[in-house]
Amino acid sequence: MLAKTESLTRGLSDLRLIELPHPVGSASLDILRSLAESNIDSIVKVLNACDVRADCTLNEENGPSVECTATAEVPADPGLMFQYFINRGWSDGLPVLPPTQVAIDAMIAASGLNKDDILGVIPPLNGIATVERVAANAVMAGCLPDYFPLVLAAVQGVLQPRFNLDGVQTTTGNVAPLVIVNGPCRNTLQIDYSSNVLGQGWRANSTIGRALRLVLSNIGGAAPGVYDKATLGQPAKYTFCIAENEEENPWDPLHVERGLSRETDAVSVFGCTGVNSAVDMASQTAKGLLKTFALTMIGGLTSGVTSTETMLIICPEHAAILSAGGYSKAAIRNELFAAARVPHAKISDENLELLAKRRPIWFKRNESEIGVVDRPEDLWILVAGGKGAKSAYIPGRTGTHLQTTAVASRSAAISCSCT
C-alpha cells in the first residue's frame, strides 16, 4: 500500500553540489584562493548542469533533476516511510509526519493565505518559500494548523535582512534560531513559558521550532556538512522555541518593547549560539544577582568570537528580586554593560588583534577591557521559566539582530509588521 505525499521541489537538503576538502571558517586568504581554484571545474559543471533554484525533485543517484512532480508515492509502513524521507534528505534525522495534500491544505487554510504566496528566498540555495512549501514542512514537523501562522511569522522574521540568515545558515559556528512567542496565543495554543521552558515536553514549542528548522534545511538547502558548515552545532538546531512568561514579568514583555501592543500575538527570532546557566540560589539582592549575571556573561569573551546582541532569560524568582530592588530593564542593561567586561590582559594577542577589527569601538577609546556588547541596548531581556532560582544567558552571533513579527490574522495580507 502506498500513501501519496506532497513533494518538496525547491532547495531540498540533499543537494550535494560542491564538497570543499578543507574547512574555511578560519582559513587564510591563500588557502581560500587555492580552494577556489581547485574547485572551479566543479563549480562550472554544477552551474551548467542545473539551476538549483528551479523547481526540481531529486534523483538520488544523479543529483538534481529538471523533472518535477506534484506528489510522490512513499511506503505506507512507518519505518520504511521514515527511511524514504531520510534517503531524500527531507528530515532532521527524527521521524516526520507525511505531508499529505489534505494535511497541507488544512495548514494553508489556517493561514488565510494562498498556497502560492511567496514569503521570500531562503539561502544558501535560494529556495523560494511559498506558503505551500512552508506548510509541507510544518506538517512534517508535527505542527497543528493553529500553529501555522506562528511558523509563517518566524520564517518572515529570519528573512529580514538584519537577521543575516545567509550567515546563520552557513557559518562554522553553532548558531541556531531561537523562536520567542508573545501575546495571548501563548495560552490559547499552550506554548510553554514556565517550567522546563528551554526543554522538551510541549508539542507547540517542539514543532513550531522544528518547522522553522525544516524550512531552513529543506527549502534553503542548509544540509549539515554541505552548506551548513557548523563545526560542532548544538541541540537547538533541532528545535528551539519558547514563550515569554508575561504573567510573572514585572516589566514590559519583549513584543511591547519592540513597539507592539500587549494584545498582539508576536514572534521574535534570535540567532543564538548556546545556553549558559546563570544559577544563583543565594543572592537575595539585585546587586548580588547582577554580579552573578555579569560573571556568567563574560565567559565567551576570551576568544575572537563575539555577539552583536545577547539575551538574558531571567526566571520569575530572579525577576522579582530585581524588580523589588527598583531595577527597570534599562537599569539592568546599564549595570551589566558596565560590569560584564574582560581585561585585555586576559585575552590572547591574536584574539585581541581580531577583536580590534570586529569591535573597534573598544580600541579607539583606549579602553583596557572589552565588554560583552557595544551598547546596553544590545542586551535583550526576557522573563521565562518556572519555580527555582535559575536563569540563563544566551550569546548571539556576529552580525545577527533580533527580529519581531506580528502574527497575521487569517484576513491579513502576507506582508505583516516586522521590526
Side-chain angles (χ1 to χ4, degrees), residues 145-157:
D146 286 344
Y147 305 162
F148 190 49
L150 277 68
V151 174
L152 291 173
V155 172
Q156 288 179 290

Side-chain angles (χ1 to χ4, degrees), residues 28-69:
S28 68
L29 183 60
D30 288 340
I31 292 176
L32 292 176
R33 183 180 294 111
S34 175
L35 288 171
E37 291 173 351
S38 65
N39 280 278
I40 189 64
D41 291 339
S42 297
I43 294 171
V44 171
K45 180 179 179 181
V46 168
L47 292 177
N48 288 330
C50 176
D51 181 357
V52 296
R53 292 171 294 180
D55 282 343
C56 61
T57 54
L58 293 179
N59 180 304
E60 295 174 11
E61 294 180 353
N62 301 317
S65 166
V66 295
E67 296 181 1
C68 177
T69 59

Side-chain angles (χ1 to χ4, degrees), residues 149-150 152-163 178-183 244 246 253-261 264-271 309 311 329 380-382 401-408 415-419:
L150 277 68
L152 291 173
V155 172
Q156 288 179 290
V158 300
L159 286 172
Q160 297 304 307
R162 282 172 57 81
F163 187 79
L178 166 60
V179 178
I180 306 156
V181 180
N182 283 102
E244 186 167 12
E246 298 178 24
L254 178 63
H255 70 312
V256 174
E257 279 195 285
R258 301 285 287 165
L260 300 174
S261 70
T264 299
D265 291 325
V267 171
S268 299
V269 286
F270 177 69
E309 298 177 343
M311 180 171 292
K329 279 189 177 181
W380 297 107
I381 296 174
L382 303 180
H401 298 264
L402 179 142
Q403 301 296 310
T404 300
T405 306
V407 178
S415 56
C416 60
S417 173
C418 298
T419 58

Side-chain angles (χ1 to χ4, degrees), residues 155-227:
V155 172
Q156 288 179 290
V158 300
L159 286 172
Q160 297 304 307
R162 282 172 57 81
F163 187 79
N164 187 18
L165 182 57
D166 192 39
V168 169
Q169 288 272 72
T170 58
T171 179
T172 55
N174 62 342
V175 64
L178 166 60
V179 178
I180 306 156
V181 180
N182 283 102
C185 70
R186 298 169 305 116
N187 293 310
T188 305
L189 300 178
Q190 298 184 332
I191 304 173
D192 184 32
Y193 51 76
S194 187
S195 297
N196 200 42
V197 66
L198 301 182
Q200 84 292 354
W202 296 84
R203 180 175 184 175
N205 300 60
S206 300
T207 60
I208 292 170
R210 189 187 185 200
L212 178 59
R213 168 53 56 192
L214 290 178
V215 165
L216 298 182
S217 297
N218 290 336
I219 301 178
V226 182
Y227 291 98

